[in-house]
Amino acid sequence: MILSSVRKLVLAVDVCFCLRTHFVKSFHCSSQLFKKLPANWQHGRLIAHRRSILNKMAATDKSIQEILQPLRDSVKEQGDLVRKLKESKANDIDIKKAVNELKARKKILEDKEISLTPSDAIFQRTRLEDLLKRRFFIDISFSIYGGISGQYDFGPMGCAMKHNILNLWRNHFVIEDSLLEVDCTMLTPEPVLKASGHVERFADLMVKDEKSGECFRLDHLIKAQLEKIMEDKDLSPTVKNECEEIIARLDGYSKDEMASVLKKFDMKAPLTGNDLSEPVEFNLMFSTSIGPSGQVKGFLRPETAQGIFVNFKRLLEFNQGKLPFGAAQIGNAFRNEISPRSGLIRVREFTMAEIEYFVDPDNKDHPRFQTVADMKLPLFSACNQMDGKPVEEMSLRDAVSNKIIANETLAYFMARIYQFLVKIGVNPTKVRFRQHMGNEMAHYACDCWDAECLTSYGWVECVGCADRSCYDLTQHSKATGVKLVAEKPLSEPMEVNIVDCLPDRATIDLNNIEKVHEKDEIYELKLDNKSFQISKEMIKIRRYPKKIYVKEITPSVIEPSFGIGRIMYSIFEHSFKIREGDEQRVYLTLAPIIAPTKCSVLPLSGKQEFVPFVQQLSSKLKEFSISHKIDDSGVSIGKRYSRADEIAIPYGITVDFDTLKAPYTVTLRERDSMLQIRLPVDETAPLVRDLCSGVKSWDDAMKMYPLFEQQEASKD
Amino acid sequence: MILSSVRKLVLAVDVCFCLRTHFVKSFHCSSQLFKKLPANWQHGRLIAHRRSILNKMAATDKSIQEILQPLRDSVKEQGDLVRKLKESKANDIDIKKAVNELKARKKILEDKEISLTPSDAIFQRTRLEDLLKRRFFIDISFSIYGGISGQYDFGPMGCAMKHNILNLWRNHFVIEDSLLEVDCTMLTPEPVLKASGHVERFADLMVKDEKSGECFRLDHLIKAQLEKIMEDKDLSPTVKNECEEIIARLDGYSKDEMASVLKKFDMKAPLTGNDLSEPVEFNLMFSTSIGPSGQVKGFLRPETAQGIFVNFKRLLEFNQGKLPFGAAQIGNAFRNEISPRSGLIRVREFTMAEIEYFVDPDNKDHPRFQTVADMKLPLFSACNQMDGKPVEEMSLRDAVSNKIIANETLAYFMARIYQFLVKIGVNPTKVRFRQHMGNEMAHYACDCWDAECLTSYGWVECVGCADRSCYDLTQHSKATGVKLVAEKPLSEPMEVNIVDCLPDRATIDLNNIEKVHEKDEIYELKLDNKSFQISKEMIKIRRYPKKIYVKEITPSVIEPSFGIGRIMYSIFEHSFKIREGDEQRVYLTLAPIIAPTKCSVLPLSGKQEFVPFVQQLSSKLKEFSISHKIDDSGVSIGKRYSRADEIAIPYGITVDFDTLKAPYTVTLRERDSMLQIRLPVDETAPLVRDLCSGVKSWDDAMKMYPLFEQQEASKD
């Protein structure tokens, strides 16, 4: 009993964590962190250095702290109020109101923080978007038909990059953590999503233009209209204040609260000015009919997780009945967003990669936790959010032992997520793990941390890491009557009391039943006037003790869930660069391991003598499965380098006049430094392979071969 | 003019090919064929040997030929009639009837051929299906909810195998043929699929139970009911004959013909016996609404091809405007089959891999055709089908020069498809390329060859290879008004006559128009009484010659289209084996390159001393990204080998008592031969890596290390 309520206390993260938390203050980036990265990961160290600078700068810049302090105090004051209300068991409505106020204050603090970040964070989004479209990383789907909002196609560059990321994900998680990967169908019959709660709860509020039928997502509409009202220079300060407050608190508003805002400001449909309908809940799942009868209702899955849960029994069997184990799935999911904007951040069809790690609910330790326990992660706990405190670097060992993170398995996966994000090129100074506060957690979760990346859209949730407890398995078990449990050996056998009911064989003729069954027919118990009395003689009730050696448990599940498109977008922003001294030359510093094309092959001119060398290099690269691009267009070599930089090609091989004579050498150029080395033709493809797989670094290559001194600009 | 009608003649494959065809008879497998495979592909050579035996056997078995000859003659007789009717331009209905009769006769011939194949082809499908389900390669989706027909989930084994196949596909096609891979959305708005013809034509005939509403695919229902009628022993030979004929011809029946069969035999709904509705066309696309208004109708794509066509403009740009080039896409497609059966062969959601290769319609040569021209493929031309002749091995050079295959690009991709199928483990003696006859080609195709695999379901279409001509680009261009063309440089500039119309600047005040436009306003031409007379003075018409250097062409497209599930199923059947002398031990001989798990690690017993060696091996394997399975369950080593064989694990490392003492060795066992070698622990993971990537063969390994002589059976 006592244990169980301690457990409850632990899970009520928004109230209790901080009561027993002693933060290990650590603003400096730990070199420990990068020990877990592959040894050849030079890039990581560079960024670690930058992060350290940034943190120091923030810590010493007193004027910034002075601006933020009152906002922090305001958050803390409200956080304390929420705690007090919860402790005194105040009524739900009062708590909810106080929490909304808290969120509003947090948002003001965060907006201010972002606005005060150093100027290198100011970002030219349009130029990036132009590059992504022009070089066909991504484009709006069906653009020749006018396009469909919220749907994007990946062109050759985006597709190859996505594929590289997913392959790395497989190696990093499926292979290294020995997960069972599955590939389930997207079309999902209604009962499955009823059980999971999606049919009932997976909805956003919307209003319709009464005449045209156009739909608007309610919170977006209110925000846009209030912002328009605030543009009026003659607006009274009171109204302006009110508008600001509503915008800040909108996220937490109920349907009724939003409806009253609509009424108060007499909001109409944009453009037409028509009346708006009452707010309605719009389910975000795409529905369809499976089969021709129209009677089997189905949906496109809104997440890949359910496919794993419904296969739990088979997967447990596959794992020979043992806990813990993890399953994984990569695949598309669909959400019929009401009015998708924000590019790749909010789309209707997207690729997810999800892990469901099943654990004993009474023991969420992870066998490999010790391998990551000393890593320090940027944690933004619920407690810090309520106190108006910033993100803190903390070792996972401390976070778990101080109950900031609920258990080892959750912490272990947060570490693995962080390693993965940094490996594929997310800027580690622009990642944080934000803990959900109690009231914003999904209906199934009991603790949840989002890995968020800082972009020009603000902090964007890219990976969720939730403890879904036993919610899903319990729900599917209820809906189907199929036991979804694991057997846990008891430390010592337990005696239980059995009550058994046996038919009396003399009275109920079992032989007769058997005979009928043998003929594969159904045995009918003959009843007089449709009622049948079971007399005392017919059955015997036995009571006896029995020893049992295992008990059945419904596993808890820890779920790391990756939004691949959002991660890709964050990487695009984090790697978008403008060449110093040449505003026109933009490029992407994608890590070679995820770069769509690994290498360009550039004959200096159209001379026929270059062709055999180009072909020899190309077939060698193909042999190693290295994607490459031959650019033999007539333009200057400088222009071709710059075109290759735009699509993030990390290495460029140039065939020039020195190539034609023994000892037959070419130059190899690295994208970010623009430095070139000169090396034998035969050794080029193997070197590029080693550079791209991370076996060798560019520094290694520079030590092996002489620098090629000719300046890039001189070739333009 | 003459050229163009020759072209038409060439494309009318069902009529004309054989008129100028001289087949190169070649029943023996050419060793040439396997030159194109990787040098390390030992498996290929083995199978080539088997095929050669099979062909020789068929050629010499006179009794088989005697049985088949009258059936072949009957096909040829009807084929000749069809040709005659087409030549004499008989009316369409007569031709169609004759073609249906031809198809019926072909089917009778083919069924007989299959029934006469050697006994090793007789196949225990239930045992395979049991294995696939039990070891979770695949299972019916949502099985705890009762399952959904036509949907399958891939478990850990199926998923890993699928992933390996797709990775190989990417290397084989995308990298080696320098294709532009894209990843487009599945949700497709209606106008796109209207343009492609799917909204109108992508349908099957069905009938409904008038009372219960249950739906039946019409041809399946008729076939089942006729077969039931034929079970009646008292049935008159006339009726029996009629039933047989209808079944054989059913594929070619029109809606009206099927309806009259329904009426004639007074067919009712199975089980209920209720009346059936009139046949209706049921569109096989899953429909849904995109966005919340319900006004944007969309479908789940029925093929991945359209995503490439709508992006043609961007892809051509990406390829710097040059033809030919190919694009590729891997992804899911959806078909709402009326009553899917046949396991993975006919499903509602499936993964495709498609290539769209865009070529100049006047020159469909392929730059790499010479690299495959001497390969011999098993071709089943339309002509041979009409003549009742069997499949013939023919070099692609001969097939193209004799116009059996319409062009080099089509032939090139057929070769590449064949190489791919053999590489991933399709049995080359069970593949053929069957050409579509004119009347069975899809509405967009002008020549089409299916790579079919022989399974217990008969010959199954696994890869289509069609010349879609310019159909799709033309359709999308018409629907959107966007030009989807490439510019083709003319061999010499052409002079064309231009007619130009210029306003007379003195009469029409251009300055005034400009001023208005500068204010971003629309210039209104003032009209008297809404009519405006253009006088001779206002405009000047000029005629002059102009030199042009390029012409615009709509490319043709060659489309190889892979059904991944069907290919996987064929591989399952082709690799399913029963251990000689032990009926209970079944296993799958999947090629190491696609095997889901590459290696098992087996400690001989639960002894604690073995653990560090197992862990050391496991982490080394992880370092090389080699998927492996540690089986430390208590059962005998023989049983564990046999469990590993079932899931096709090609190599097994056993840690035994000799491992514990210097020089620390383990045994390595190969699945198919069950032979073991003994080698140092340190050298094991690198050897397994080389074996699985094809760098080394098992024969190489046997030469490097001593055989481990202990018999497997003795360990049981």
Side-chain angles (χ1 to χ4, degrees), chain B residues 427-440:
Chain B
N427 182 339
T429 68
K430 293 180 177 177
V431 186
R432 69 178 188 192
F433 283 87
R434 193 180 72 77
Q435 187 175 34
H436 283 207
M437 302 204 292
N439 55 303
E440 62 174 323

Side-chain angles (χ1 to χ4, degrees), chain A residues 133 139 145 151 153-154 156 162-163 170 181 183 185-187 287-288 291 311 314 336 349 476 622, chain B residues 133 139 145 151 153-154 156 162-163 170 181 183 185-187 287-288 291 311 314 336 349 476:
Chain A
K133 189 176 166 172
D139 194 12
Y145 281 83
Q151 291 186 234
D153 288 348
F154 292 92
K162 182 177 166 189
H163 175 61
R170 275 202 176 90
E181 189 184 350
D183 178 16
T185 55
M186 303 172 197
L187 282 166
S287 71
T288 190
N311 279 307
R314 286 215 158 284
N336 198 1
E349 181 176 339
H476 289 299
K622 276 183 187 172
Chain B
K133 188 177 168 171
D139 193 12
Y145 281 83
Q151 290 185 235
D153 287 349
F154 291 92
K162 183 178 165 187
H163 175 60
R170 275 201 176 90
E181 191 185 347
D183 179 16
T185 55
M186 301 171 201
L187 283 167
S287 70
T288 192
N311 279 307
R314 286 216 159 282
N336 198 1
E349 182 176 338
H476 289 301

